Structures are given as structure tokens and as C-alpha cells.
């Protein structure tokens, strides 16, 4: 028997419709910002949490895009960050000097992942770098970092769904919801 994942959700923070509307607005902004730029637009999806956002965003952007994937470890297991960023899947392209990179992230918490990746891609010689996050928890910031595109500012609560997980579960939920604290033992 499969479990009903929605039983673990305290409340829905963002509905499918709200997310869809916001993704369309962000895509429109990206269209406007990159339409007349020299170089190719490359969306880099940070695995695994950003896959759902990435898929919807790349469909909503109307100018041609290349896609790529990176994986980093920032969280161990559970709900707290290790603060230690390791690149687990690297970018295997040699044309970064021709690429206007937009890093696509699910959520910014401490800010360490995106601060680290931005610096890393700068060192790799990317033509330009911007960051795009669906969710932002500014209250949790440990390093000074602000995204160029941001979907929603949310309170300091642990959320799942639309790609975001708790111990690899709940990614498939189509909405963003606050997890019941009893699920992670609080
Ligand atoms: P940062 O490096 O602390 O900004 O962490 C960003 C990463 O932490 C995200 O890509 C998520 O994987 C994870 N994360 C932070 N907050 C949450 C949350 O509320 N739910 C699920 N994952 C989260
Ligand atoms: Mg994650």
C-alpha cells in the first residue's frame, strides 16, 4: 500500500495555479532581458530539487535555450544545512565564454549553494551569470546573496513539493506545502 503524502502536509503555501502564474512572469522577464544579448542562453538546473521548476520555466521562456545540469551537496539528510558545498555533478561544456548562464534553483536558504556556484562559474569563464530561484527564505541567510530572479519570498518553514524534498520524499507533489513538523521529529 502506498502512503498518502498529502496527509503529511500542514498547509499548502503555493498552489499549482499560483506557481504557474509566477513562472510565466519570470519567463517573460528572462525573454526581455536576454532577447537581444550576444551569446547563448543556458539554463543550469541544480539537481534534484529544481527539475520541476526548470521544466516549467524552459517551456515558458520563448527564446531558444540550452539546458544543463549540475548537482551539489549542501544538505546532509534532514532539514539543516551542512554549510559545506561539494560539486557532485560538474558541467562538461567548453564553451562557457559564449554562454549567458542562468542558474535555476528551487530555494535559497543560507545562500551558500548559489554564492558558491556563482563564483565557480565565474572562474570557469562564463560570459555572464545570473541566478533564478523559485523560493527564497531571506530570514535564513548566512552569506550575503541576492538572486536576480525570484518567484516567492517565503517564511522560515520547511517546505516540500514541486521538486523540493524531505529525505527524498514529496518531490512529486504539484504544489509547495509546509511539512508537518512531526514528520521530521519536532
Ligand atoms: P542553501 O545553500 O542553504 O541556500 O540551500 C539551498 C538548498 O537547501 C536548496 O537547494 C534545497 O535543496 C535545500 N533547502 C533549503 N530549504 C529547504 C526547504 O524548506 N525544503 C526543502 N529543501 C530545502
Ligand atoms: Mg535539495
Amino acid at each position: 500500500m502506498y502512503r498518502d503524502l498529502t496527509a503529511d502536509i500542514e498547509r499548502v503555501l503555493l498552489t499549482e495555479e499560483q506557481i504557474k502564474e509566477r513562472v510565466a512572469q519570470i519567463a517573460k522577464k528572462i525573454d526581455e532581458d536576454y532577447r537581444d544579448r550576444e551569446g547563448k542562453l543556458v539554463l543550469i538546473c541544480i539537481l534534484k530539487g529544481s527539475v520541476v521548476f526548470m521544466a516549467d520555466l524552459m517551456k515558458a521562456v520563448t527564446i531558444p535555450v540550452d539546458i544543463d545540469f549540475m548537482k551539489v551537496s549542501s544538505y546532509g539528510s534532514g532539514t539543516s544545512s551542512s554549510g559545506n558545498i561539494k560539486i557532485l555533478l560538474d558541467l562538461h561544456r567548453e564553451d562557457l565564454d559564449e554562454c549567458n548562464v542562468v542558474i535555476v534553483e528551487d530555494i535559497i536558504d543560507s545562500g551558500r549553494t548559489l554564492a558558491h556556484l556563482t563564483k565557480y562559474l565565474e572562474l570557469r569563464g562564463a560570459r555572464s551569470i545570473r541566478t533564478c530561484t523559485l523560493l527564497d527564505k531571506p530570514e535564513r541567510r548566512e552569506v550575503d546573496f541576492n538572486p536576480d530572479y525570484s518567484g516567492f519570498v517565503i517564511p522560515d518553514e520547511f517546505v516540500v513539493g514541486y521538486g523540493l524534498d524531505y529525505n527524498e520524499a514529496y518531490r512529486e507533489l504539484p504544489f509547495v506545502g509546509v511539512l508537518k513538523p512531526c514528520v521530521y521529529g519536532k
Side-chain angles (χ1 to χ4, degrees):
M1 251 316 253
Y2 288 107
R3 271 184 333 114
D4 174 16
L5 296 181
T6 59
D8 295 343
I9 303 299
E10 192 169 80
R11 66 179 199 283
V12 174
L13 195 64
L14 301 166
T15 65
E16 263 186 279
E17 290 70 30
Q18 284 174 301
I19 298 170
K20 194 172 178 206
E21 197 182 317
R22 192 72 185 113
V23 170
Q25 290 168 350
I26 296 172
K28 189 159 177 264
K29 190 80 179 52
I30 291 176
D31 277 344
E32 288 164 9
D33 292 352
Y34 289 91
R35 187 174 293 131
D36 299 320
R37 280 222 202 179
E38 288 288 324
K40 36 180 147 162
L41 174 58
V42 181
L43 304 182
I44 299 182
C45 172
I46 307 307
L47 295 172
K48 301 176 189 170
S50 309
V51 284
V52 181
F53 178 39
M54 173 79 162
D56 285 346
L57 185 69
M58 66 181 279
K59 287 182 286 179
V61 168
T62 65
I63 58 177
V65 293
D66 262 28
I67 60 166
D68 240 310
F69 298 87
M70 290 185 78
K71 187 170 186 186
V72 298
S73 67
S74 64
Y75 268 49
S77 63
T79 61
S80 69
S81 171
S82 69
N84 199 353
I85 313 295
K86 229 172 47 196
I87 293 177
L88 302 178
L89 174 69
D90 207 345
L91 214 52
H92 292 287
R93 52 192 313 152
E94 302 302 327
D95 62 346
L96 275 171
D97 58 323
E98 296 164 30
C99 298
N100 295 310
V101 167
V102 176
I103 307 174
V104 178
E105 178 64 303
D106 53 355
I107 186 166
I108 306 183
D109 188 54
S110 71
R112 291 184 192 281
T113 304
L114 281 184
H116 181 85
L117 282 176
T118 304
K119 238 178 268 153
Y120 174 73
L121 291 172
E122 254 167 43
L123 286 173
R124 289 271 311 260
R127 181 181 185 100
S128 72
I129 303 162
R130 283 190 180 173
T131 55
C132 176
T133 188
L134 179 72
L135 308 174
D136 188 1
K137 284 186 197 170
E139 287 170 53
R140 301 258 308 173
R141 209 65 101 247
E142 290 167 22
V143 295
D144 185 22
F145 186 87
N146 286 307
D148 299 290
Y149 306 98
S150 171
F152 303 90
V153 169
I154 64 165
D156 179 13
E157 288 177 293
F158 197 80
V159 294
V160 295
Y162 199 74
L164 292 108
D165 73 307
Y166 171 67
N167 285 351
E168 296 299 325
Y170 311 101
R171 294 192 196 276
E172 67 270 50
L173 295 176
F175 54 83
V176 172
V178 176
L179 197 59
K180 284 180 182 166
C182 62
V183 176
Y184 49 88
K186 278 194 184 159

